[in-house]
Amino acid sequence: MFVCKECGYKSIQKFGQCPYCAGWNTSVEEKSEALANSRKAERISDIKCGSGKRITSGIANVDAVLGGGIVEGSIVLIAGAPGIGKSTLLLQAASGMEKVLYVSGEESPGQICMRSERIKSDSEDACAFAGRVQLLAAQNFDEVACEIERLKPDVVIIDSIQSIRSRPGQGLAASVGEMKEVAVRIVEIAKNSNISFILSGHITKEGILQGPKVIEHMVDVVMYMEESSDHAHRILYSTKNRFGNTREFALFCMTVGGLEVVPDASKYFLSGRCDIPGSVVVSACGGSTVFLAEVQALINTTSFQYPRRQVTGLELNRVYLVIAILERFTDIKLSSCDVYMNVAGGIKINEPAADLATAAAIASASTKRKVGKDTAFAGEIGLGGEIRNVSRLGERIDKAASFGFGKIIVPASGAARKNKIKVIEVKNIREALSAALVAPSQSPL
Ligand code: TYD
Ligand code: MG
């Protein structure tokens, strides 16, 4: 700033004559304190590298989704519909952590105690948990900040971001502006004092826009919790992770004693599978987990002007691609058919390795020819109808073999080893379908 030494007038530009007192050559430069103490850029080579230390959440599957635990000073957002089980998961995670402050803006300490009693754990754990976790029921972020300052925890859990206010008593609670304000203050604390935060956020009916989506860019990890199609299970996956990949997922079962980890997701995804045309099994990969899931297709003659393509659990654009490839390289014609696709169990598979299973399901539904019940698929399809290699093919084959599948149809990559499963290597879509589809089903029903 340039200040007039006669009258104190301030300007960001140097002035010859003071516009206020009209004195000549009275301006002197003054460095503001904030600027004098401002941070300076450093060479990357001079910066002390972060320790990369990760704090375990106490639940192995959640750690895997996080990329190996909670990074020090990071912020994790868990978003989901009200009643999905976010508070339950957070309390269970808190019970496995060392120095943790659990802030609830929605429930009273008594209610949280009741919940903690429901959560299944052996008595020793329950006691240790009760003695270790600091509980704060507050809605004012100033109070939360004071407690963080006093307790200096490693992890602060805030349930939920929408219930905490930065300007109590002013305007409506949980406005987008206020939520952003609270998030900015959290980011400041997290980055300055290396405290990790886990925030829960409700996805409101009005849309994702009103909800926690607006702070996704400020946090390090965004996880979503969704219900399975049978309503009894919960799938946790991340859509953004600055410290890990976003393909990991964790499967839980909601029981009377809280969330229980489902150790083998494939078993659950394949339960209830029917031996009908349109149903095939994919050997898929979600981060570090290889799992089997059922891909289903239903094909009807359309009664709309434009045929419908409705897809759940797969990437819509990849399904469009597979449909185009089938039309171009096989005799299957779908331009006057509605195509409905679903992955049973509510899991989302967004990898090209599911292309082959998608094509087989559509071909099977369209020709009403079943795919053998003991056949699994893994393979990407190229625009020339060629079957392309996929990552971790060996593990995918092993997974199908361990579940008693008799054959697996895969790209010709030479990866086939001596195995108890018959590995059928195919070069193009026609070869794949002729190996996959069995005789037409007898019953027209
Ligand atoms: P909650 O964690 O409160 O959901 P959110 O915080 O996402 O709104 O979960 C509430 C639901 O979970 C409620 O319908 C009851 C059920 N639940 C159980 O089935 N078992 C349990 O042990 C607990 C604590 C909750
Ligand atoms: Mg809750």
Side-chain angles (χ1 to χ4, degrees):
M1 295 294 281
F2 291 89
V3 183
C4 172
K5 61 184 176 198
E6 299 295 330
C7 69
Y9 171 80
K10 284 183 181 173
S11 161
I12 51 167
Q13 271 177 337
K14 194 173 177 171
F15 48 88
Q17 185 186 20
C18 173
Y20 193 75
C21 69
W24 283 96
N25 298 328
T26 54
S27 76
V28 283
E29 194 175 354
E30 192 178 77
K31 279 219 166 85
S32 91
E33 217 170 276
L35 276 179
N37 298 333
S38 71
R39 292 173 205 221
K40 304 281 181 297
E42 292 172 87
R43 282 197 190 89
I44 291 182
S45 58
D46 295 342
I47 297 170
K48 201 170 133 256
C49 200
S51 66
K53 197 179 130 196
R54 289 182 185 253
I55 304 161
T56 174
S57 69
I59 306 169
N61 293 30
V62 175
D63 284 347
V65 178
L66 288 166
I70 307 157
V71 172
E72 267 185 334
S74 71
I75 304 167
V76 178
L77 172 71
I78 300 182
I84 197 92
K86 299 180 295 297
S87 305
T88 309
L89 181 74
L90 291 178
L91 199 60
Q92 282 182 243
S95 68
M97 290 179 198
E98 277 306 317
K99 277 173 75 185
V100 56
L101 170 65
Y102 187 107
V103 181
S104 178
E106 293 176 354
E107 288 158 291
S108 69
Q111 285 169 325
I112 300 168
C113 266
M114 272 164 59
R115 186 196 296 276
S116 78
E117 271 165 28
R118 277 184 78 179
I119 293 171
K120 205 190 275 172
S121 58
D122 54 56
S123 56
E124 202 187 77
D125 268 351
C127 290
F129 161 60
R132 204 170 45 230
V133 178
Q134 297 278 355
L135 199 63
L136 174 70
Q139 279 161 349
N140 179 352
F141 192 78
D142 292 332
E143 283 172 33
V144 179
C146 279
E147 281 303 273
I148 294 174
E149 188 63 37
R150 187 175 73 86
L151 296 166
K152 302 207 167 29
D154 290 339
V155 181
V156 180
I157 294 175
I158 296 189
D159 185 24
S160 64
I161 180 84
Q162 278 115 331
S163 66
I164 305 291
R165 310 203 54 189
S166 65
R167 284 169 287 157
Q170 283 179 35
L172 277 178
S175 67
V176 169
E178 197 159 13
M179 192 161 64
K180 280 186 173 171
E181 257 177 51
V182 173
V184 168
R185 293 181 68 181
I186 289 173
V187 172
E188 214 174 87
I189 298 177
K191 304 299 167 200
N192 288 336
S193 43
N194 236 9
I195 295 174
S196 308
F197 281 79
I198 309 179
L199 321 172
S200 76
H202 299 293
I203 298 176
T204 48
K205 252 215 178 124
E206 298 78 66
I208 302 250
L209 268 184
Q210 281 279 322
K213 198 119 200 142
V214 292
I215 57 160
E216 279 191 359
H217 64 284
M218 299 188 204
V219 303
D220 300 300
V221 181
V222 179
M223 304 210 279
Y224 276 81
M225 197 174 195
E226 282 180 5
E227 205 169 47
S228 63
S229 37
D230 66 359
H231 306 299
H233 292 74
R234 304 287 185 269
I235 298 164
L236 185 74
Y237 62 92
S238 73
T239 56
K240 166 182 171 178
N241 192 347
R242 287 184 181 149
F243 316 109
N245 76 47
T246 53
R247 290 172 53 205
E248 299 279 351
F249 70 93
L251 183 70
F252 299 94
C253 183
M254 181 59 99
T255 67
V256 285
L259 289 161
E260 256 177 41
V261 173
V262 177
D264 198 339
S266 311
K267 201 167 162 188
Y268 164 64
F269 293 138
L270 294 184
S271 62
R273 188 159 67 99
C274 300
D275 188 20
I276 49 164
S279 158
V280 309
V281 171
V282 61
S283 189
C285 190
S288 60
T289 326
V290 173
F291 64 96
L292 303 173
E294 182 189 358
V295 175
Q296 299 176 322
L298 174 72
I299 310 249
N300 278 338
T301 308
T302 189
S303 46
F304 303 101
Q305 199 172 1
Y306 297 103
R308 295 194 68 175
R309 273 87 176 93
Q310 190 172 318
V311 175
T312 317
L314 293 166
E315 249 181 280
L316 181 64
N317 283 334
R318 290 227 64 98
V319 174
Y320 280 136
L321 216 71
V322 169
I323 290 174
I325 293 164
L326 281 172
E327 292 216 311
R328 172 70 180 76
F329 296 103
T330 71
D331 303 327
I332 295 162
K333 296 292 167 246
L334 299 160
S335 54
S336 56
C337 295
D338 295 334
V339 177
Y340 300 92
M341 298 217 63
N342 182 35
V343 180
I347 184 78
K348 291 188 176 72
I349 304 176
N350 45 15
E351 56 162 1
D355 288 352
L356 195 49
T358 308
I362 296 174
S364 163
S366 158
T367 57
K368 294 198 171 58
R369 286 171 66 185
K370 284 195 259 184
V371 166
K373 201 168 183 232
D374 68 338
T375 309
F377 294 85
E380 181 182 339
I381 309 179
L383 290 186
E386 79 280 13
I387 309 298
R388 307 179 76 104
N389 206 354
V390 293
S391 62
R392 301 169 68 183
L393 186 56
E395 283 171 69
R396 294 177 200 258
I397 295 171
D398 292 346
K399 191 77 192 177
S402 72
F403 265 75
F405 279 79
K407 60 180 180 183
I408 181 162
I409 299 180
V410 298
S413 65
R417 297 157 291 158
K418 266 207 163 31
N419 219 319
K420 56 183 176 184
I421 188 169
K422 188 173 165 197
V423 179
I424 303 174
E425 295 197 343
V426 289
K427 287 198 189 68
N428 57 51
I429 182 80
R430 290 187 78 93
E431 239 180 71
L433 294 185
S434 59
L437 300 176
V438 297
S441 54
Q442 299 302 310
S443 163
L445 291 176

